Coordinates of all heavy atoms in Angstrom, one line a residue:
M1047 N 12.3 92.4 109.5 CA 13.0 92.1 108.2 C 13.4 93.3 107.4 O 12.8 94.4 107.7 CB 12.0 91.3 107.3 CG 12.1 89.8 107.6 SD 13.7 89.2 107.2 CE 13.7 87.6 108.0
G1048 N 14.3 93.2 106.6 CA 14.7 94.3 105.8 C 15.6 95.3 106.5 O 16.0 96.3 106.0
R1049 N 15.9 94.9 107.8 CA 16.9 95.8 108.5 C 18.3 95.5 108.1 O 18.7 94.3 108.0 CB 16.7 95.5 110.0 CG 16.3 96.8 110.7 CD 15.9 96.5 112.1 NE 17.1 96.2 112.9 CZ 17.0 95.4 114.0 NH1 15.9 94.9 114.4 NH2 18.1 95.2 114.7
K1050 N 19.0 96.5 107.9 CA 20.4 96.3 107.4 C 21.3 96.0 108.6 O 21.2 96.7 109.6 CB 20.9 97.6 106.7 CG 20.7 97.5 105.2 CD 21.5 98.6 104.5 CE 21.1 98.6 103.0 NZ 21.2 99.9 102.4
K1051 N 22.0 95.0 108.4 CA 23.0 94.7 109.5 C 24.1 95.7 109.4 O 24.7 95.9 108.4 CB 23.4 93.2 109.3 CG 23.7 92.6 110.7 CD 23.7 91.1 110.5 CE 25.1 90.5 110.3 NZ 25.1 89.1 110.0
K1052 N 24.4 96.2 110.6 CA 25.6 97.1 110.6 C 26.9 96.3 110.6 O 27.1 95.5 111.4 CB 25.5 97.9 111.9 CG 26.1 99.3 111.7 CD 25.9 100.2 112.9 CE 26.5 101.5 112.8 NZ 26.3 102.3 114.0
V1053 N 27.6 96.6 109.5 CA 28.9 95.9 109.4 C 30.0 96.7 110.0 O 30.2 97.9 109.5 CB 29.2 95.6 107.9 CG1 30.5 94.8 107.8 CG2 28.0 94.8 107.3
V1054 N 30.6 96.2 110.9 CA 31.8 96.9 111.5 C 33.0 96.3 110.9 O 33.4 95.2 111.2 CB 31.8 96.8 113.1 CG1 32.9 97.6 113.6 CG2 30.4 97.2 113.6
E1055 N 33.7 97.1 110.1 CA 34.9 96.6 109.5 C 36.1 97.0 110.3 O 36.3 98.2 110.6 CB 35.0 97.2 108.1 CG 34.0 96.7 107.1 CD 34.6 96.0 105.9 OE1 35.5 96.6 105.3 OE2 34.2 94.9 105.6
Q1056 N 36.8 96.0 110.7 CA 38.0 96.3 111.5 C 39.2 96.1 110.8 O 40.2 96.7 111.0 CB 37.9 95.5 112.8 CG 36.9 96.2 113.8 CD 37.1 95.7 115.2 OE1 37.7 94.6 115.4 NE2 36.7 96.4 116.2
T1057 N 39.1 95.1 109.9 CA 40.3 94.7 109.1 C 40.4 95.6 107.9 O 39.4 95.8 107.2 CB 40.3 93.3 108.7 OG1 39.0 93.0 108.2 CG2 40.6 92.4 109.9
V1058 N 41.6 96.1 107.7 CA 41.8 96.9 106.5 C 41.9 96.0 105.3 O 42.6 95.0 105.4 CB 43.2 97.7 106.7 CG1 43.4 98.6 105.5 CG2 43.1 98.6 107.9
P1059 N 41.3 96.3 104.2 CA 41.4 95.5 103.0 C 42.9 95.3 102.6 O 43.7 96.2 102.8 CB 40.6 96.2 102.0 CG 40.3 97.6 102.5 CD 40.4 97.5 104.0
V1060 N 43.1 94.2 102.0 CA 44.5 93.9 101.7 C 45.0 94.9 100.6 O 44.5 95.0 99.5 CB 44.7 92.5 101.1 CG1 46.1 92.2 100.9 CG2 44.0 91.5 102.0
E1061 N 46.0 95.7 101.0 CA 46.5 96.7 100.1 C 47.9 96.3 99.7 O 48.6 95.6 100.4 CB 46.6 98.0 100.9 CG 45.3 98.8 100.9 CD 45.4 100.0 101.8 OE1 46.5 100.6 101.9 OE2 44.4 100.4 102.4
P1062 N 48.2 96.7 98.5 CA 49.6 96.4 98.0 C 50.6 97.1 98.9 O 50.3 98.2 99.4 CB 49.6 96.9 96.6 CG 48.4 97.8 96.4 CD 47.4 97.3 97.4
Q1063 N 51.7 96.5 99.2 CA 52.7 97.1 100.1 C 53.7 97.9 99.3 O 54.1 97.5 98.2 CB 53.4 95.9 100.8 CG 52.5 95.1 101.7 CD 52.2 95.8 103.1 OE1 53.2 96.2 103.7 NE2 51.0 96.0 103.5
H1064 N 54.1 98.9 100.0 CA 55.3 99.7 99.4 C 56.5 98.8 99.5 O 56.8 98.1 100.5 CB 55.5 101.0 100.2 CG 54.5 102.0 99.9 ND1 53.6 102.5 100.7 CD2 54.3 102.7 98.7 CE1 52.9 103.5 100.2 NE2 53.3 103.6 98.9
T1065 N 57.3 98.9 98.5 CA 58.6 98.2 98.6 C 59.6 99.1 99.4 O 59.3 100.3 99.6 CB 59.2 98.0 97.2 OG1 59.5 99.3 96.6 CG2 58.3 97.2 96.3
Q1066 N 60.7 98.5 99.8 CA 61.7 99.2 100.6 C 62.2 100.5 99.8 O 62.3 101.5 100.3 CB 62.9 98.3 100.9 CG 62.6 97.3 102.0 CD 62.2 98.0 103.3 OE1 62.7 99.0 103.7 NE2 61.2 97.5 103.9
E1067 N 62.3 100.3 98.5 CA 62.8 101.4 97.6 C 61.8 102.5 97.6 O 62.1 103.7 97.6 CB 63.0 100.8 96.2 CG 64.5 100.4 96.0 CD 64.7 100.0 94.5 OE1 64.0 99.1 94.1 OE2 65.5 100.7 93.9
E1068 N 60.5 102.1 97.5 CA 59.5 103.1 97.4 C 59.4 103.9 98.8 O 59.2 105.1 98.8 CB 58.1 102.5 97.1 CG 58.0 102.0 95.7 CD 56.9 101.1 95.4 OE1 56.2 100.6 96.4 OE2 56.6 100.8 94.2
L1069 N 59.5 103.2 99.9 CA 59.6 103.8 101.2 C 60.7 104.8 101.3 O 60.6 105.9 101.8 CB 59.6 102.8 102.3 CG 58.4 101.9 102.5 CD1 58.7 100.8 103.5 CD2 57.2 102.7 102.9
A1070 N 61.9 104.4 100.7 CA 63.0 105.3 100.8 C 62.8 106.5 99.9 O 63.2 107.6 100.3 CB 64.3 104.5 100.3
L1071 N 62.1 106.3 98.8 CA 61.9 107.4 97.9 C 60.9 108.4 98.6 O 61.1 109.6 98.5 CB 61.2 106.9 96.6 CG 62.2 106.3 95.6 CD1 61.4 105.6 94.5 CD2 63.1 107.4 95.0
M1072 N 59.9 107.9 99.3 CA 59.0 108.8 99.9 C 59.7 109.5 101.1 O 59.3 110.7 101.4 CB 57.8 108.0 100.4 CG 56.8 107.6 99.3 SD 55.2 107.1 99.8 CE 55.6 105.6 100.6
A1073 N 60.6 108.9 101.7 CA 61.3 109.5 102.8 C 62.2 110.6 102.2 O 62.4 111.7 102.9 CB 62.2 108.5 103.5
R1074 N 62.7 110.4 101.0 CA 63.6 111.4 100.4 C 62.8 112.5 99.8 O 63.3 113.6 99.7 CB 64.5 110.7 99.3 CG 65.8 111.4 99.2 CD 66.7 110.7 98.1 NE 66.6 109.2 98.3 CZ 66.8 108.4 97.2 NH1 67.0 108.8 96.0 NH2 66.8 107.1 97.4
H1075 N 61.6 112.2 99.4 CA 60.8 113.2 98.8 C 59.5 113.4 99.5 O 58.5 112.8 99.1 CB 60.5 112.9 97.3 CG 61.7 112.7 96.5 ND1 62.6 113.7 96.1 CD2 62.3 111.5 96.0 CE1 63.6 113.2 95.4 NE2 63.4 111.9 95.4
P1076 N 59.4 114.1 100.6 CA 58.2 114.2 101.4 C 57.1 114.8 100.7 O 57.3 115.7 99.8 CB 58.6 115.1 102.6 CG 60.1 115.1 102.6 CD 60.6 114.8 101.2
G1077 N 55.9 114.3 100.9 CA 54.7 114.8 100.3 C 54.3 114.1 99.0 O 53.3 114.4 98.4
R1078 N 55.1 113.1 98.6 CA 54.8 112.3 97.4 C 54.1 111.1 97.9 O 54.6 110.3 98.6 CB 56.0 111.9 96.6 CG 56.4 113.0 95.6 CD 57.0 114.1 96.3 NE 57.6 115.1 95.4 CZ 58.1 116.2 95.8 NH1 58.0 116.6 97.1 NH2 58.7 117.0 95.0
A1079 N 52.9 110.9 97.4 CA 52.1 109.7 97.7 C 52.4 108.7 96.6 O 51.7 108.7 95.6 CB 50.7 109.9 97.9
I1080 N 53.4 107.8 96.8 CA 53.7 106.9 95.7 C 52.8 105.7 95.8 O 52.5 105.2 96.9 CB 55.2 106.4 95.9 CG1 56.1 107.6 95.6 CG2 55.5 105.2 95.0 CD1 57.6 107.3 95.8
Q1081 N 52.3 105.3 94.7 CA 51.4 104.1 94.6 C 52.2 102.9 94.9 O 53.2 102.6 94.2 CB 50.8 104.0 93.2 CG 49.4 103.6 93.3 CD 48.7 103.8 92.0 OE1 49.0 103.2 91.0 NE2 47.6 104.6 92.0
P1082 N 51.8 102.1 95.9 CA 52.6 100.9 96.2 C 52.8 99.9 95.0 O 51.9 99.7 94.3 CB 51.7 100.2 97.3 CG 50.8 101.2 97.8 CD 50.6 102.2 96.7
G1083 N 54.0 99.5 94.8 CA 54.3 98.6 93.8 C 54.4 99.2 92.4 O 54.5 98.5 91.4
S1084 N 54.4 100.5 92.3 CA 54.4 101.2 91.0 C 55.8 101.5 90.5 O 56.0 101.9 89.3 CB 53.6 102.5 91.1 OG 54.2 103.4 91.9
L1085 N 56.8 101.3 91.3 CA 58.2 101.5 90.9 C 58.6 100.5 89.8 O 58.5 99.3 90.1 CB 59.1 101.5 92.1 CG 60.6 101.7 91.8 CD1 60.9 103.1 91.3 CD2 61.4 101.5 93.1
T1086 N 59.0 101.0 88.7 CA 59.4 100.1 87.6 C 60.7 99.5 87.9 O 61.6 100.2 88.4 CB 59.4 100.8 86.2 OG1 60.3 101.9 86.3 CG2 58.0 101.3 85.8
P1087 N 60.9 98.2 87.5 CA 62.2 97.6 87.8 C 63.3 98.0 86.8 O 62.9 98.4 85.7 CB 61.9 96.1 87.7 CG 60.7 96.0 86.7 CD 59.9 97.3 86.9
P1088 N 64.5 97.9 87.2 CA 65.6 98.2 86.3 C 65.7 97.1 85.3 O 65.1 96.0 85.5 CB 66.8 98.3 87.2 CG 66.5 97.5 88.4 CD 65.0 97.6 88.5
P1089 N 66.4 97.2 84.2 CA 67.1 98.4 83.7 C 66.2 99.4 83.0 O 65.0 99.2 82.9 CB 68.1 97.8 82.7 CG 67.3 96.7 82.1 CD 66.4 96.1 83.2
G1090 N 66.8 100.5 82.6 CA 66.1 101.5 81.9 C 65.7 102.6 82.9 O 66.0 102.6 84.0
K1091 N 65.0 103.6 82.3 CA 64.6 104.8 83.1 C 63.5 104.3 84.0 O 62.5 103.7 83.6 CB 64.0 105.8 82.1 CG 64.9 107.1 82.2 CD 64.2 108.1 81.3 CE 64.5 109.5 81.8 NZ 64.0 110.6 81.0
R1092 N 63.7 104.5 85.3 CA 62.7 104.0 86.3 C 61.7 105.1 86.6 O 62.1 106.2 86.6 CB 63.5 103.5 87.5 CG 64.6 102.5 87.2 CD 65.1 101.9 88.4 NE 64.2 101.0 89.1 CZ 64.3 100.5 90.3 NH1 65.4 100.9 91.0 NH2 63.5 99.7 90.8
S1093 N 60.5 104.6 86.8 CA 59.5 105.6 87.1 C 58.6 105.1 88.2 O 58.5 103.8 88.5 CB 58.7 105.9 85.9 OG 57.9 104.8 85.5
V1094 N 57.8 106.0 88.8 CA 56.8 105.6 89.8 C 55.5 106.3 89.5 O 55.5 107.2 88.7 CB 57.2 106.0 91.3 CG1 58.4 105.1 91.8 CG2 57.5 107.4 91.4
V1095 N 54.5 105.8 90.1 CA 53.2 106.5 89.9 C 52.9 107.2 91.2 O 52.9 106.6 92.3 CB 52.1 105.5 89.6 CG1 50.7 106.2 89.5 CG2 52.3 104.8 88.2
I1096 N 52.7 108.5 91.2 CA 52.3 109.2 92.4 C 50.8 109.6 92.3 O 50.3 109.7 91.2 CB 53.2 110.5 92.6 CG1 53.0 111.4 91.4 CG2 54.6 110.1 92.8 CD1 53.6 112.8 91.7
L1097 N 50.3 109.9 93.5 CA 48.9 110.3 93.6 C 48.9 111.8 93.8 O 49.6 112.2 94.8 CB 48.3 109.6 94.8 CG 46.9 108.9 94.5 CD1 47.0 107.8 93.5 CD2 46.4 108.4 95.9
C1098 N 48.2 112.5 93.0 CA 48.1 114.0 93.2 C 47.4 114.3 94.6 O 46.3 113.8 94.8 CB 47.4 114.7 92.1 SG 47.1 116.4 92.3
P1099 N 48.1 115.0 95.5 CA 47.5 115.3 96.8 C 46.3 116.2 96.7 O 45.5 116.3 97.6 CB 48.6 115.9 97.6 CG 49.6 116.4 96.6 CD 49.4 115.6 95.3
S1100 N 46.2 116.9 95.6 CA 45.2 117.9 95.4 C 43.9 117.3 94.8 O 42.8 117.6 95.3 CB 45.7 119.0 94.5 OG 44.8 120.0 94.4
C1101 N 44.0 116.5 93.8 CA 42.8 115.9 93.1 C 42.7 114.4 93.1 O 41.7 113.8 92.7 CB 42.7 116.5 91.7 SG 43.9 115.8 90.6
G1102 N 43.8 113.8 93.5 CA 43.8 112.3 93.6 C 44.1 111.6 92.3 O 44.1 110.4 92.2
Q1103 N 44.4 112.4 91.2 CA 44.7 111.8 90.0 C 46.1 111.1 90.1 O 47.0 111.6 90.8 CB 44.8 112.9 88.9 CG 43.8 112.7 87.8 CD 44.1 113.7 86.7 OE1 44.8 113.4 85.7 NE2 43.5 114.9 86.8
T1104 N 46.3 110.1 89.3 CA 47.6 109.5 89.3 C 48.5 110.1 88.2 O 48.0 110.5 87.2 CB 47.5 108.0 89.1 OG1 46.8 107.7 87.9 CG2 46.9 107.3 90.3
R1105 N 49.8 110.0 88.4 CA 50.7 110.6 87.4 C 52.0 109.7 87.5 O 52.5 109.5 88.5 CB 51.0 112.0 87.7 CG 52.1 112.6 86.8 CD 52.4 114.0 87.2 NE 53.2 114.6 86.2 CZ 53.6 115.9 86.1 NH1 53.2 116.7 87.0 NH2 54.4 116.3 85.1
Q1106 N 52.4 109.3 86.3 CA 53.7 108.6 86.2 C 54.9 109.6 86.1 O 54.8 110.5 85.4 CB 53.7 107.7 85.0 CG 54.9 106.7 85.0 CD 54.8 105.7 84.0 OE1 54.1 105.9 83.0 NE2 55.4 104.5 84.2
V1107 N 55.8 109.4 87.0 CA 56.9 110.3 87.1 C 58.2 109.5 87.0 O 58.4 108.5 87.7 CB 56.9 111.1 88.4 CG1 58.0 112.2 88.5 CG2 55.5 111.7 88.6
Y1108 N 59.2 110.0 86.2 CA 60.5 109.4 86.2 C 61.2 109.8 87.6 O 61.0 110.9 88.1 CB 61.3 109.9 85.1 CG 60.9 109.3 83.8 CD1 60.4 110.1 82.7 CD2 60.9 107.9 83.6 CE1 60.0 109.6 81.5 CE2 60.5 107.4 82.4 CZ 60.1 108.2 81.3 OH 59.6 107.6 80.2
L1109 N 62.0 108.8 88.0 CA 62.7 109.1 89.3 C 63.5 110.4 89.3 O 63.6 111.1 90.2 CB 63.6 107.9 89.7 CG 62.9 106.6 90.1 CD1 63.9 105.7 90.9 CD2 61.7 106.9 90.9
A1110 N 64.1 110.6 88.1 CA 64.9 111.8 87.9 C 64.1 113.1 88.1 O 64.6 114.2 88.4 CB 65.6 111.8 86.6
D1111 N 62.8 113.0 87.9 CA 61.9 114.2 88.0 C 61.2 114.3 89.3 O 60.5 115.3 89.6 CB 60.9 114.2 86.9 CG 61.6 114.3 85.5 OD1 62.6 114.9 85.4 OD2 61.0 113.7 84.6
L1112 N 61.3 113.2 90.1 CA 60.5 113.1 91.3 C 60.7 114.3 92.3 O 59.7 114.7 93.0 CB 60.7 111.8 92.1 CG 59.7 111.4 93.2 CD1 58.3 111.3 92.6 CD2 60.2 110.1 93.8
H1113 N 61.9 114.8 92.3 CA 62.2 115.9 93.3 C 61.4 117.2 92.9 O 61.2 118.0 93.8 CB 63.7 116.2 93.3 CG 64.2 116.8 92.1 ND1 64.5 116.0 91.0 CD2 64.6 118.0 91.7 CE1 64.9 116.8 90.0 NE2 65.0 118.0 90.4
Q1114 N 61.0 117.3 91.7 CA 60.3 118.5 91.3 C 58.9 118.3 90.9 O 58.2 119.3 90.5 CB 61.0 119.2 90.1 CG 61.1 118.3 88.9 CD 61.9 118.9 87.8 OE1 62.4 120.0 87.9 NE2 62.0 118.2 86.6
V1115 N 58.4 117.1 91.1 CA 57.0 116.8 90.7 C 56.2 116.4 92.0 O 56.7 115.5 92.7 CB 56.9 115.7 89.7 CG1 55.4 115.4 89.4 CG2 57.6 116.1 88.4
K1116 N 55.1 117.1 92.2 CA 54.3 116.7 93.4 C 52.9 116.6 93.0 O 52.2 115.8 93.5 CB 54.5 117.9 94.4 CG 54.2 117.5 95.8 CD 54.6 118.6 96.7 CE 54.4 118.2 98.2 NZ 54.9 119.3 99.1
L1117 N 52.4 117.4 92.0 CA 51.0 117.4 91.6 C 50.9 116.8 90.2 O 51.8 116.7 89.5 CB 50.5 118.9 91.7 CG 50.6 119.6 93.0 CD1 50.5 121.1 92.7 CD2 49.6 119.2 94.0
C1118 N 49.6 116.5 89.9 CA 49.3 116.1 88.5 C 49.5 117.3 87.6 O 49.5 118.4 88.0 CB 47.9 115.5 88.4 SG 46.6 116.7 88.5
P1119 N 49.6 117.0 86.3 CA 49.8 118.1 85.3 C 48.8 119.3 85.5 O 49.2 120.5 85.5 CB 49.7 117.5 84.0 CG 50.1 116.0 84.2 CD 49.6 115.7 85.6
S1120 N 47.5 119.0 85.6 CA 46.6 120.1 85.6 C 46.7 120.9 86.9 O 46.5 122.1 86.9 CB 45.1 119.5 85.4 OG 44.8 118.6 86.4
C1121 N 47.0 120.2 88.0 CA 47.1 120.9 89.3 C 48.4 121.7 89.3 O 48.5 122.8 89.9 CB 47.1 119.9 90.5 SG 45.4 119.3 90.8
T1122 N 49.4 121.2 88.6 CA 50.7 122.0 88.5 C 50.4 123.3 87.8 O 50.9 124.3 88.3 CB 51.7 121.1 87.7 OG1 51.9 119.9 88.4 CG2 53.1 121.9 87.7
V1123 N 49.7 123.2 86.7 CA 49.3 124.4 86.0 C 48.5 125.4 86.8 O 48.8 126.6 86.9 CB 48.5 124.1 84.7 CG1 48.0 125.3 84.0 CG2 49.4 123.3 83.7
K1124 N 47.5 124.8 87.5 CA 46.7 125.6 88.4 C 47.5 126.3 89.5 O 47.3 127.5 89.8 CB 45.6 124.7 89.0 CG 44.2 125.3 88.9 CD 43.2 124.4 89.7 CE 42.9 123.1 88.9 NZ 42.2 122.1 89.8
A1125 N 48.4 125.5 90.1 CA 49.2 126.0 91.2 C 50.1 127.1 90.7 O 50.3 128.1 91.4 CB 50.0 124.9 91.9
R1126 N 50.6 126.9 89.5 CA 51.5 127.9 89.0 C 50.7 129.2 88.7 O 51.2 130.3 89.0 CB 52.1 127.4 87.7 CG 53.5 128.0 87.4 CD 54.1 127.3 86.2 NE 54.5 126.0 86.4 CZ 54.7 125.0 85.5 NH1 54.3 125.2 84.2 NH2 55.1 123.8 85.8
K1127 N 49.5 129.1 88.2 CA 48.7 130.3 87.9 C 48.4 131.0 89.2 O 48.4 132.2 89.3 CB 47.4 129.9 87.2 CG 47.6 129.9 85.7 CD 46.2 129.6 85.0 CE 46.4 129.2 83.6 NZ 45.3 128.4 83.1
E1128 N 48.0 130.2 90.2 CA 47.6 130.8 91.5 C 48.8 131.5 92.1 O 48.7 132.6 92.7 CB 47.1 129.8 92.4 CG 45.6 129.9 92.6 CD 44.9 128.6 92.9 OE1 45.4 127.9 93.9 OE2 44.0 128.3 92.2
A1129 N 50.0 131.0 92.0 CA 51.2 131.6 92.6 C 51.5 132.9 91.8 O 51.8 133.9 92.5 CB 52.4 130.6 92.4
A1130 N 51.3 132.9 90.5 CA 51.5 134.1 89.7 C 50.5 135.2 90.1 O 50.9 136.4 90.3 CB 51.4 133.8 88.2
R1131 N 49.3 134.8 90.3 CA 48.2 135.7 90.7 C 48.5 136.3 92.1 O 48.4 137.5 92.3 CB 46.9 135.1 90.7 CG 45.7 136.1 90.7 CD 44.4 135.5 90.9 NE 44.2 134.3 90.0 CZ 43.5 133.2 90.4 NH1 43.1 133.1 91.7 NH2 43.3 132.2 89.6
A1132 N 49.0 135.5 93.0 CA 49.3 135.9 94.3 C 50.4 136.9 94.3 O 50.4 137.9 95.0 CB 49.6 134.7 95.2
R1133 N 51.4 136.6 93.4 CA 52.6 137.5 93.3 C 52.1 138.9 92.8 O 52.5 139.9 93.3 CB 53.6 136.9 92.4 CG 54.7 136.2 93.1 CD 55.9 136.0 92.2 NE 55.6 135.4 90.9 CZ 55.5 134.1 90.7 NH1 55.6 133.3 91.6 NH2 55.2 133.7 89.5
R1134 N 51.2 138.8 91.7 CA 50.7 140.1 91.1 C 50.0 140.9 92.2 O 50.1 142.1 92.3 CB 49.8 139.7 90.0 CG 50.4 140.0 88.6 CD 49.4 140.1 87.5 NE 48.3 139.1 87.6 CZ 48.4 137.9 87.1 NH1 49.5 137.5 86.4 NH2 47.4 137.0 87.2
Q1135 N 49.1 140.2 92.9 CA 48.3 140.8 94.0 C 49.2 141.5 95.0 O 49.0 142.6 95.4 CB 47.4 139.7 94.6 CG 46.3 140.3 95.5 CD 45.2 141.0 94.6 OE1 45.0 140.5 93.5 NE2 44.7 142.0 95.1
A1136 N 50.2 140.8 95.4 CA 51.1 141.3 96.4 C 51.8 142.5 95.9 O 52.0 143.5 96.7 CB 52.2 140.2 96.8
R1137 N 52.2 142.5 94.6 CA 52.9 143.7 94.0 C 51.9 144.9 94.0 O 52.3 146.0 94.3 CB 53.3 143.3 92.6 CG 54.6 144.0 92.3 CD 55.1 143.6 90.9 NE 55.3 142.2 90.8 CZ 55.0 141.5 89.6 NH1 54.5 142.1 88.6 NH2 55.2 140.2 89.6
K1138 N 50.7 144.6 93.6 CA 49.7 145.7 93.5 C 49.5 146.3 94.9 O 49.4 147.5 95.0 CB 48.4 145.1 93.0 CG 47.7 146.0 92.0 CD 46.3 145.5 91.7 CE 46.2 144.6 90.5 NZ 44.9 144.0 90.3
E1139 N 49.4 145.5 95.9 CA 49.1 146.0 97.2 C 50.3 146.8 97.8 O 50.1 147.8 98.5 CB 48.8 144.8 98.2 CG 47.3 144.5 98.2 CD 47.0 143.1 98.7 OE1 47.9 142.6 99.5 OE2 46.0 142.6 98.3
T1140 N 51.5 146.5 97.4 CA 52.6 147.3 97.9 C 52.7 148.6 97.2 O 53.3 149.6 97.7 CB 53.9 146.5 97.7 OG1 54.0 146.0 96.4 CG2 54.0 145.4 98.7
Q1141 N 52.1 148.6 95.9 CA 52.2 149.9 95.2 C 51.2 150.9 95.6 O 51.4 152.1 95.5 CB 52.0 149.6 93.7 CG 53.3 149.1 93.0 CD 53.0 148.6 91.6 OE1 51.9 148.6 91.1 NE2 54.0 148.1 90.9
Q1142 N 50.1 150.4 96.2 CA 49.0 151.3 96.6 C 49.3 152.1 97.9 O 50.0 151.6 98.7 CB 47.7 150.6 96.8 CG 47.1 150.3 95.4 CD 45.9 149.4 95.5 OE1 45.7 148.8 96.6 NE2 45.3 149.1 94.4
Ligands
ZN1452 ZN1 45.8 117.1 90.6

């Protein structure tokens, strides 16, 4: 008694499906993990919710900005700082 039964899960839990439009957006913008069903319907400014590949936070992005947005705001700042530091470092090394 008290033995835990090992549950072998073979079926993937029911997940919301990406719409054709969302699939097309992901094909056009590689690296964006669009949350299934998050694309807002027309009319008006349409947006999707993407998942930050770095920390997993969600972020709402207008379609017009999707080509330049990949990370959540905090990771974008972090990535920018790191890129600047790398550039500074590279410059320092070439001067020595
Ligand atoms: Zn992030």
Side-chain angles (χ1 to χ4, degrees):
M1047 272 299 165
R1049 240 169 73 205
K1050 264 193 191 153
K1051 214 160 91 187
K1052 211 173 177 184
V1053 182
V1054 182
E1055 292 239 313
Q1056 283 196 337
T1057 47
V1058 182
V1060 186
E1061 278 175 30
Q1063 296 279 310
H1064 282 114
T1065 63
Q1066 286 303 316
E1067 268 186 297
E1068 287 166 350
L1069 290 173
L1071 283 169
M1072 286 196 291
R1074 211 179 314 152
H1075 305 286
R1078 273 71 169 175
I1080 292 176
Q1081 216 167 62
S1084 64
L1085 180 64
T1086 56
K1091 243 182 151 180
R1092 307 188 71 193
S1093 67
V1094 290
V1095 174
I1096 61 164
L1097 227 64
C1098 174
S1100 182
C1101 72
Q1103 244 190 92
T1104 54
R1105 175 181 190 174
Q1106 192 171 22
V1107 186
Y1108 286 119
L1109 289 199
D1111 299 326
L1112 192 59
H1113 66 284
Q1114 58 183 3
V1115 177
K1116 202 168 183 178
L1117 304 163
C1118 73
S1120 59
C1121 286
T1122 304
V1123 171
K1124 228 185 286 168
R1126 208 174 287 155
K1127 270 187 197 156
E1128 251 151 53
R1131 198 190 310 143
R1133 265 198 308 276
R1134 256 199 317 274
Q1135 194 70 33
R1137 213 178 303 144
K1138 220 190 265 171
E1139 271 161 22
T1140 50
Q1141 280 171 358
Q1142 279 169 357

